[in-house]
Amino acid sequence: EVQLVESGGGLVQPGGSLRLSCVASGFAFHGYGMTWVRQTPGKGLEWVSYIGSSGTTGYADSVKGRFTISRDNTNNTVYLQLNSLKTEDTAMYYCAKGICSGGDCYERGQGTQVTVSS
C-alpha cells in the first residue's frame, strides 16, 4: 500500500521559510519521480514542482527561484524548501507519487498546511 506522509507546514510571515518533508512507503521510491502540488479552498490542485528518479527537477513559474525540491532515496523522503514566502503561497501542500500535473495526482498524502500571514 502506497503511503505518503507530509509534514513541516505551519504559520510563517511573508518573506519567511519552511521546509516540507514527505516520507514515502509501499513502493520502490528510488525508481519514481515525485511531485508537490498545492490547493487552496475552492480551487483545483496546482502543480508546484517535480523531481525525477534521476534528480531532474521542474518548477512552476510562480515558485521558480524561491522553492527547491530535493530527495533522499536512503530515507525515502522528498523535500520542498520554501523561501521568500508570499501570502499567495498559502495552501495545503501535498506530495504525490510519480510525475503528475495536478488533477491527475491521484496517489498523494494527507497534506500539510502552509499559511503565510503577517
Side-chain angles (χ1 to χ4, degrees):
E1 178 189 1
V2 172
Q3 286 196 324
L4 299 163
V5 180
E6 301 95 335
S7 62
L11 173 63
V12 63
Q13 292 186 340
S17 297
L18 286 171
R19 189 192 196 201
L20 308 184
S21 301
C22 170
V23 179
S25 62
F27 64 101
F29 178 79
H30 64 277
Y32 284 84
M34 297 293 292
T35 302
W36 283 96
V37 294
R38 65 188 181 185
Q39 188 171 31
T40 53
K43 294 188 177 182
L45 289 168
E46 176 191 9
W47 173 70
V48 175
S49 179
Y50 78 85
I51 185 165
S53 59
S54 61
T56 56
T57 60
Y59 299 93
D61 287 344
S62 59
V63 307
K64 197 173 294 183
R66 300 187 298 119
F67 291 8
T68 303
I69 192 170
S70 61
R71 65 189 297 158
D72 178 354
N73 288 340
T74 300
N75 292 304
N76 288 1
T77 303
V78 59
Y79 302 98
L80 188 67
Q81 178 69 42
L82 286 61
N83 295 331
S84 303
L85 281 160
K86 305 176 181 179
T87 55
E88 52 263 43
D89 294 319
T90 295
M92 184 71 79
Y93 284 71
Y94 302 90
C95 71
K97 175 189 172 188
I99 296 177
C100 48
S101 59
D104 59 341
C105 296
Y106 302 116
E107 291 184 295
R108 58 183 188 267
Q110 84 291 344
T112 186
Q113 177 68 38
V114 171
T115 302
V116 185
S117 175
S118 55

